């Protein structure tokens, strides 16, 4: 009997304040920003790139997001992105967001 292949599950949720002003490309249809990822108290926090495509990217662009804006990713998936620069190869992990909540700045 053939071994049954188990289905993989890739769903991600994250919330936080944008670490820098976002990058938007209307022509390429993407909107990209970074959010902090907390580590153990004795470790430095890291950052993860979040990217939205198509209609979600255009919607995000209309929200006037900037460094410090608070967002909540309620549905996304992790994506491994290979890179090569100066003869070195590596990978980055980013979140492709499908559902996102926007919150008004509390100035």
């Amino acid at each position: 009997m053939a071994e049954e292949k188990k289905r993989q599950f890739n769903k991600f949720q994250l919330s936080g304040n944008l670490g820098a002003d976002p990058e938007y490309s209307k022509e390429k249809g993407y909107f990209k920003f970074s959010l902090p990822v907390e580590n153990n108290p004795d470790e430095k926090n890291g950052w993860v790139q979040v990217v939205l495509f198509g209609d979600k990217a255009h919607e995000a662009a209309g929200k006037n997001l900037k460094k410090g804006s608070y967002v909540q990713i309620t549905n996304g998936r992790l994506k491994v992105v290979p890179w090569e620069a100066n003869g070195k190869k590596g990978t980055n992990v980013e979140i492709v967001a499908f559902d996102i909540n926007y919150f008004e700045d509390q100035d």
Side-chain angles (χ1 to χ4, degrees):
M1 179 179 272
E3 187 175 320
E4 182 178 327
K5 190 173 185 177
K6 294 184 180 181
R7 185 169 182 224
Q8 296 179 356
F9 186 72
N10 182 359
K11 184 173 181 177
F12 200 84
Q13 297 178 343
L14 180 67
S15 63
N17 298 88
L18 274 65
D21 289 338
E23 176 185 343
Y24 174 56
S25 173
K26 186 175 183 178
E27 296 78 28
K28 295 181 181 178
Y30 73 83
F31 190 89
K32 190 181 287 191
F33 55 89
S34 60
L35 289 178
V37 178
E38 291 183 10
N39 293 315
N40 294 324
D42 57 338
E43 295 178 2
K44 186 176 179 181
N45 287 348
W47 294 88
V48 65
Q49 288 289 317
V50 178
V51 64
L52 297 101
F53 293 103
D55 290 342
K56 293 290 182 183
H58 302 307
E59 176 187 350
K63 298 292 182 181
N64 295 318
L65 298 176
K66 61 184 182 281
K67 180 179 179 177
S69 295
Y70 184 80
V71 297
Q72 181 181 53
I73 310 301
T74 57
N75 184 11
R77 69 175 174 82
L78 294 177
K79 179 180 177 185
V80 177
V81 181
W83 60 266
E84 184 173 349
N86 301 324
K88 296 182 181 182
K89 294 181 180 182
T91 57
N92 288 334
V93 176
E94 66 184 20
I95 299 170
V96 178
F98 302 119
D99 297 313
I100 183 170
N101 292 325
Y102 305 96
F103 297 88
E104 296 293 322
D105 288 334
Q106 303 292 320
D107 290 334

